[in-house]
C-alpha cells in the first residue's frame, strides 16, 4: 500500500513538472468547454450540463488517462528506467496503477476546472442532484477508467510505438464513446464497440446521476453496466499482466533497443 500511495504522489508531482501535461490539465479543458458550449448553447440547461460540462470534462479526463497509460510508459523506456521498475521489489502492477490513479486525479481536477469555467463565463448552473449518488457514480467512474488505462498501459509496455498509438486512439475515443453526443446516432455496426469500452458506460452513469432528481433505483442499471464492463476489463487486465510479465522476462526487450 505504501508503494501504491507513493507512486500516486510522485506521479502527480512529475506530471505537473511537464509543460505539456500542465496544458492538458489547465488549458485544454477550457478549449473543449468553449467549443462544446457553442455547439449546445441553445439547448436545455440539462442537456448543456450533460454534453458540455460532462463532455468537455471527460475529454480532459481521457487525455490525462492516455498520457498515464502510454506517454509515461514510453518516457520510462526512453529514460532507461522501465526495466528497473518492472523488476523492482514493489509489483510493477502496483507502480503502474499508482501512475494511472495519479493522472486520473489530475483529470478529475480538470473536469472541475471546466465546470467552474463554464459556470462563471457562460453562467451554466449545476443541476439539483443527489450528492451521495453523484459521489458513488464518481467513485465507480474512477475505478472503471483506471482499470481500462491499466489494460492499455500493459499493451503499450511491450510496444516501441506507444507514443504513436497514444496519439492514434485519443480522438477516436471522443467520438466512439459519445462524449459529445448520444452514441445512438453512430452507425449501428459501431455501437457494440462503444458499449464494450468503459468510458461509454462511465459517462452515461454520470449523466444519469446528474439528471434532475435521479434516484438510486433509476441509476441501478447504469451502475450494473459500469460494474460488468469494469469486471470484464479486470479479467482482461489480469490475463494481460501475466502474459506481459512472461513475455518481458523471456524476451528482455523492454528497453529502447
Amino acid at each position: 500500500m505504501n508503494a501504491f500511495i507513493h507512486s500516486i504522489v510522485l506521479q502527480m508531482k512529475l506530471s505537473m513538472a511537464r509543460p505539456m501535461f500542465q496544458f492538458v490539465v489547465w488549458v485544454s479543458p477550457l478549449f473543449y468547454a468553449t467549443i462544446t458550449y457553442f455547439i449546445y448553447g441553445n439547448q436545455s440547461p440539462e442537456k448543456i450540463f450533460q454534453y458540455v460540462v460532462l463532455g468537455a470534462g471527460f475529454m480532459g479526463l481521457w487525455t490525462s488517462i492516455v498520457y498515464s497509460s502510454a506517454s509515461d510508459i514510453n518516457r520510462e523506456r526512453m529514460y532507461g528506467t522501465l526495466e528497473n521498475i518492472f523488476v523492482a521489489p514493489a509489483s510493477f502492477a502496483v507502480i503502474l496503477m499508482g501512475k494511472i490513479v495519479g493522472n486520473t486525479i489530475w483529470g478529475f481536477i480538470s473536469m472541475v476546472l471546466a465546470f467552474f469555467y463554464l459556470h462563471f463565463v457562460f453562467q451554466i448552473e449545476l443541476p439539483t442532484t443527489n450528492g451521495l449518488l453523484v459521489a458513488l457514480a464518481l467513485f465507480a467512474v474512477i475505478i472503471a477508467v483506471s482499470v481500462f488505462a491499466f489494460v492499455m498501459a500493459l499493451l503499450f509496455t511491450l510496444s516501441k510505438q506507444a507514443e504513436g498509438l497514444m496519439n492514434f486512439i485519443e480522438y477516436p475515443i471522443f467520438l466512439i464513446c459519445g462524449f459529445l453526443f448520444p452514441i445512438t446516432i453512430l452507425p449501428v455496426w459501431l455501437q457494440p464497440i462503444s458499449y464494450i469500452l468503459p468510458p461509454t458506460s462511465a459517462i452515461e452513469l454520470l449523466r444519469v446521476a446528474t439528471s434532475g432528481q435521479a434516484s438510486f433505483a433509476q441509476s441501478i442499471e447504469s451502475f450494473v453496466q459500469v460494474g460488468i464492463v469494469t469486471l470484464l476489463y479486470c479479467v482482461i487486465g489480469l490475463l494481460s499482466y501475466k502474459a506481459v510479465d512472461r513475455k518481458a522476462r523471456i524476451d528482455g526487450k523492454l528497453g529502447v533497443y
Side-chain angles (χ1 to χ4, degrees), residues 116-139:
F116 279 108
Y117 168 74
L118 290 165
H119 173 71
F120 288 108
V121 176
F122 297 106
Q123 305 299 309
I124 295 179
E125 298 293 335
L126 178 68
T128 303
T129 58
N130 184 323
L132 179 58
L133 177 61
V134 173
L136 290 175
L138 286 173
F139 181 72

Side-chain angles (χ1 to χ4, degrees), residues 2 5 8 12 17 51 65 67 70 84 86 93 107 114 126 129 142 154 173 177 199 213 217 227 246 248 253:
N2 286 337
I5 294 174
I8 294 174
M12 294 184 71
Y51 288 98
I65 292 171
Y67 269 85
N84 296 334
F86 197 84
L126 178 68
T129 58
I142 290 175
L154 288 175
I173 291 294
C177 294
Q213 299 294 330
R246 182 173 181 277
K253 295 181 179 179

Side-chain angles (χ1 to χ4, degrees), residues 18-218:
R18 300 195 301 274
M20 183 60 189
F21 197 87
Q22 293 179 25
F23 177 84
V24 167
V25 173
W26 306 123
V27 181
S28 64
L30 307 185
F31 284 106
Y32 293 149
T34 302
I35 292 172
T36 52
Y37 179 79
F38 287 149
I39 296 173
Y40 285 98
N42 62 346
Q43 300 294 319
S44 65
E46 182 173 332
K47 177 166 285 190
I48 289 176
F49 182 84
Q50 293 187 349
Y51 288 98
V52 176
V53 177
L54 294 182
F58 239 81
M59 289 169 76
L61 173 63
W62 172 245
T63 302
S64 299
I65 292 171
V66 170
Y67 269 85
S68 66
S69 60
S71 182
D72 288 334
I73 291 295
N74 194 58
R75 187 173 295 103
E76 297 288 356
R77 176 180 286 112
M78 297 303 297
Y79 290 163
T81 55
L82 182 59
E83 301 97 321
N84 296 334
I85 294 175
F86 197 84
V87 298
S91 171
F92 178 67
V94 171
I95 297 174
L96 191 57
M97 281 303 300
K99 287 177 171 292
I100 291 168
V101 172
N103 280 356
T104 301
I105 292 173
W106 281 124
F108 271 96
I109 291 175
S110 73
M111 287 186 70
V112 174
L113 175 64
F115 166 71
F116 279 108
Y117 168 74
L118 290 165
H119 173 71
F120 288 108
V121 176
F122 297 106
Q123 305 299 309
I124 295 179
E125 298 293 335
L126 178 68
T128 303
T129 58
N130 184 323
L132 179 58
L133 177 61
V134 173
L136 290 175
L138 286 173
F139 181 72
V141 167
I142 290 175
I143 295 176
V145 296
S146 296
V147 170
F148 185 42
F150 180 76
V151 173
M152 289 194 304
L154 288 175
L155 299 178
F156 291 149
T157 298
L158 297 179
S159 173
K160 299 295 193 298
Q161 306 298 325
E163 199 82 17
L165 291 172
M166 175 194 72
N167 293 325
F168 175 75
I169 68 172
E170 181 179 3
Y171 286 97
I173 291 294
F174 290 168
L175 302 176
I176 296 175
C177 294
F179 290 179
L180 302 180
F181 49 78
I183 62 173
T184 52
I185 70 174
L186 293 173
V188 175
W189 62 267
L190 189 57
Q191 292 181 27
I193 299 176
S194 302
Y195 283 116
I196 64 174
L197 296 174
T200 302
S201 56
I203 193 170
E204 283 302 318
L205 173 59
L206 285 182
R207 284 171 178 156
V208 170
T210 56
S211 61
Q213 299 294 330
S215 64
F216 285 96
Q218 295 170 330

